[in-house]
Amino acid sequence: MVINLEGIVKYLLTVVVLLMSINIYLQWKKVNNNYLNWETGLAIDAKDSLSVIFSAGSNVYSTRDGGENWQSFSLPYNSSAIDITMINSNTIVLVCDDGSILRTSDNGENWTEVWYNPELSTFMNYVECFEDSIVIAMGDGNTNSTNSIDKPLILFSDNEGISWKQIPITEQIGAYSGDTWRRLDFITPSFGYFRSSALMVENQGLYNTNNGGSFWKKVESGAGFALIKFYNENIGLAADINKVYLTKDGGSFWETSEYEFNSWPNDFEFLPGDSNKVWYANLESLFYSGDMGMNWDEVKLQENKLRARDIVFADNKNGWLLCDHGNIFYTNNNGGITVHIDQDLQREVVNNYCLEQNFPNPFNPTTTINYQIPKDGNVSLKIYDVLGKEITILVNEEKRAGSYKVSFDTKRKENLSSGIYFARLESGKFVKTIKLLLMK
């Protein structure tokens, strides 16, 4: 009897590939949204694995239990939230298509209009929160106003969006992006990118700022980019209808992926903590790359068009995908692409509370703190000086049971001197403090 080893090997490989494909297909779960329905999804944000909020039309939808139950809120003035950011599980800021900024401190039960000036902008399209209560917002400049000459509107808040001040822009860089949040991206309160669709052709292109938006420098013509997203000041992705482009030097040079997409690009999402791992959504489908966007695999979630709009990952495992027509998907393991996830980041069974010693220690300027919790609940991780003064809040939100890591970056705290500091973790009845040594 002759055994066809080559045929057997091919068969087994086919089975393995099929099983892997099925596994990936099942790792993004369609959320049961009960009665919720919407035509077009706009923006989504998640502060942790339990607290999520998204906008669709003139409604906002939120959950505080990981999608088991949702609440729907109508916005005042019949406005639509173009972009949305969660400062914590209760405090949310959103920007609207009528040029207003709305804020809630009770998870959407009541909304307060904290900015509205149609002389400066009638369409706000971007908002993002950062540490130390800082929020950045941008809107299309009102080119019919004498106060705006081919410049966008940039607003800054240092009190969680309660009050705002306009950032004066020194040069004409184009009054609008030509889209919503997809062509704006601040990595820090100081450093951001803007793909301008200027009234004057010579002003069109990709710009960056390193001083919070007052001064902008053109780094690339970038006129064809329909979407931009940056991991840090240097590494970023851009897309047009056909291709994805990668820069590692802040936009001066771009590599082109060979994959042909042929669909309108809607969002990139880098996996937190790893610039190599990135998700990409367009109107047709969802894609994943493990090499910073040079090669892509399609992750098919349904047979017909996905019509994906926005992706957000609360951490390295828990992600949400907002689509049109009442569809929203959730993953708790990076979409099942576990082969690309570092071993220490994979989901594990945690039986005890733990706060590990930071590493490195002594450190300058950044150190990492690992902790774990055995059950879902609120987690508080704060840094104090030797006098007991609170320096910063690293974590203050609901977390699912599991292991986590967080970075303490003193570059954002320029007034910190060398010396001893303390990290205090509280969750449930568990409290532990470790000593950190900063050496500048």
Side-chain angles (χ1 to χ4, degrees), residues 98-168:
D98 62 357
S100 65
I101 301 179
L102 304 179
R103 183 182 187 274
T104 180
S105 57
D106 55 13
N107 194 39
E109 292 287 348
N110 298 281
W111 293 92
T112 301
E113 186 178 81
V114 291
W115 171 273
Y116 181 64
N117 189 336
E119 282 294 310
L120 298 180
S121 177
T122 56
F123 187 86
M124 298 296 295
N125 48 20
Y126 175 85
V127 64
E128 187 67 43
C129 68
F130 299 91
E131 293 181 354
D132 303 323
S133 305
I134 294 175
V135 189
I136 301 289
M138 289 185 71
D140 290 346
N142 188 353
T143 54
N144 295 322
S145 168
T146 56
N147 296 323
S148 175
I149 306 176
D150 216 16
K151 299 178 183 180
L153 173 68
I154 303 178
L155 300 174
F156 173 89
S157 171
D158 59 4
N159 55 9
E160 299 185 346
I162 296 174
S163 60
W164 298 83
K165 67 177 181 179
Q166 182 182 0
I167 302 296

Side-chain angles (χ1 to χ4, degrees), residues 280-293:
Y280 171 49
N282 62 26
L283 280 180
E284 294 287 336
S285 193
L286 179 67
F287 303 86
Y288 177 82
S289 173
D291 61 0
M292 210 176 290

Side-chain angles (χ1 to χ4, degrees), residues 121-420:
S121 177
T122 56
F123 187 86
M124 298 296 295
N125 48 20
Y126 175 85
V127 64
E128 187 67 43
C129 68
F130 299 91
E131 293 181 354
D132 303 323
S133 305
I134 294 175
V135 189
I136 301 289
M138 289 185 71
D140 290 346
N142 188 353
T143 54
N144 295 322
S145 168
T146 56
N147 296 323
S148 175
I149 306 176
D150 216 16
K151 299 178 183 180
L153 173 68
I154 303 178
L155 300 174
F156 173 89
S157 171
D158 59 4
N159 55 9
E160 299 185 346
I162 296 174
S163 60
W164 298 83
K165 67 177 181 179
Q166 182 182 0
I167 302 296
I169 302 175
T170 57
E171 62 284 309
Q172 298 187 47
I173 61 172
Y176 59 98
S177 70
D179 204 319
T180 56
W181 43 264
R182 293 176 177 86
R183 301 177 187 178
L184 306 162
D185 196 19
F186 271 79
I187 297 93
T188 70
S190 299
F191 203 99
Y193 285 88
F194 170 49
R195 205 288 265 170
S196 168
S197 297
L199 294 174
M200 293 177 281
V201 175
E202 62 269 23
N203 290 337
Q204 295 179 3
L206 181 67
Y207 293 80
N208 69 23
T209 179
N210 62 6
N211 69 344
S214 292
F215 173 76
W216 294 83
K217 178 180 72 173
K218 182 184 283 190
V219 294
E220 217 276 344
S221 61
F225 292 163
L227 169 68
I228 63 169
K229 179 65 70 72
F230 279 76
Y231 177 78
N232 56 27
E233 295 180 5
N234 296 310
I235 298 173
L237 292 170
D240 55 29
I241 292 178
N242 296 314
K243 292 288 188 178
V244 166
Y245 308 89
L246 166 68
T247 181
K248 298 179 182 178
D249 63 1
S252 297
F253 174 77
W254 295 84
E255 302 174 63
T256 305
S257 170
E258 294 300 318
Y259 199 106
E260 288 280 349
F261 293 95
N262 299 315
S263 183
W264 188 258
N266 276 325
D267 195 22
F268 291 111
E269 183 74 5
F270 289 98
L271 200 67
D274 194 334
S275 60
N276 286 302
K277 305 173 180 65
V278 58
W279 292 89
Y280 171 49
N282 62 26
L283 280 180
E284 294 287 336
S285 193
L286 179 67
F287 303 86
Y288 177 82
S289 173
D291 61 0
M292 210 176 290
M294 284 293 92
N295 295 281
W296 296 91
D297 294 311
E298 183 176 6
V299 182
K300 197 169 181 62
L301 300 184
Q302 58 188 34
E303 290 304 320
N304 54 339
K305 280 187 178 182
L306 186 61
R307 296 194 66 85
R309 294 292 180 174
D310 194 8
I311 318 169
V312 62
F313 271 81
D315 51 41
N316 59 336
K317 298 181 284 273
N318 294 281
W320 298 82
L321 173 66
L322 176 64
C323 305
D324 290 347
H325 307 312
N327 290 326
I328 185 169
F329 295 84
Y330 167 71
T331 179
N332 62 5
N333 63 354
N334 184 34
I337 318 293
T338 53
V339 68
H340 295 296
I341 301 180
D342 298 334
Q343 187 66 33
D344 64 335
L345 298 182
Q346 295 185 30
R347 180 165 289 280
E348 57 183 300
V349 177
V350 174
N351 296 317
N352 300 297
Y353 288 97
C354 179
L355 174 62
E356 298 179 8
Q357 186 63 52
N358 63 301
F359 182 84
N361 195 41
F363 71 98
N364 181 35
T366 304
T367 189
T368 298
I369 303 172
N370 294 307
Y371 68 91
Q372 65 182 38
I373 56 174
K375 59 182 180 180
D376 299 354
N378 189 74
V379 175
S380 170
L381 181 57
K382 300 179 180 181
I383 304 296
Y384 298 88
D385 63 17
V386 292
L387 299 177
K389 178 184 176 182
E390 182 182 297
I391 301 300
T392 191
I393 300 174
L394 299 180
V395 181
N396 186 24
E397 60 197 23
E398 294 290 322
K399 292 283 190 183
R400 291 187 186 269
S403 299
Y404 299 90
K405 62 173 59 178
V406 62
S407 177
F408 176 37
D409 187 356
T410 62
K411 287 187 293 185
R412 298 180 180 180
K413 300 284 185 179
E414 297 179 355
N415 60 335
L416 291 186
S417 59
S418 297
I420 296 173

